[in-house]
Amino acid sequence: MYQSPTSLTDNQTVLDALNRCVAACELCATACLQEEHVQHMVGCIAIDRDCADICALTARLVARGSVHAKHIMRECIEVCQLCQNECAKHNDPHCQQCAAACKACVEACRAWNS
């Protein structure tokens, strides 16, 4: 069962934040794989990948007006917070950029889901 999608402009802020988060997480995971001591980045890489996937799924559900978007959005917020926390532990610019994108995504998702 699907709801009629709202206008794209109504969802643009959250869609932009979700898509920026996907890109930041993918970039971070790829950059972490290039690190000299990659074994220290395993947790970061894993949560980056999970976060990118849940954000991409959430964006698709929001865009199509799925009744499941709000439910999945709650999980997305949780995963983004975990990713933000993990990336914030690392001083690498790509991790800091990812943490910032995750934080912005959490804020946009909370605003949309309220």
Side-chain angles (χ1 to χ4, degrees):
M1 183 156 104
Y2 288 86
Q3 299 173 340
S4 175
T6 57
S7 73
L8 185 58
T9 55
D10 291 343
N11 294 328
Q12 195 61 56
T13 300
V14 74
L15 289 171
D16 287 347
L18 287 161
N19 288 315
R20 278 191 304 272
C21 196
V22 169
C25 288
E26 291 289 356
L27 183 135
C28 187
T30 299
C32 285
L33 286 167
Q34 309 289 321
E35 295 287 336
E36 183 178 337
H37 301 288
V38 71
Q39 67 274 15
H40 297 296
M41 304 305 286
V42 169
C44 190
I45 295 164
I47 193 65
D48 283 339
R49 294 176 71 214
D50 288 349
C51 191
D53 286 348
I54 192 91
C55 287
L57 173 63
T58 304
R60 287 192 302 273
L61 294 176
V62 167
R64 73 174 66 130
S66 172
V67 296
H68 302 287
K70 284 193 177 269
H71 168 74
I72 295 299
M73 180 85 63
R74 289 189 296 271
E75 185 67 22
C76 183
I77 290 167
E78 181 179 326
V79 173
C80 283
Q81 287 175 318
L82 292 171
C83 191
Q84 176 188 350
N85 293 343
E86 178 61 32
C87 286
K89 294 178 190 176
H90 307 285
N91 291 325
D92 303 296
H94 56 86
C95 288
Q96 292 300 308
Q97 290 168 359
C98 188
C102 288
K103 180 180 180 184
C105 191
V106 165
E107 291 169 359
C109 288
R110 283 188 176 143
W112 186 88
N113 209 25
S114 60

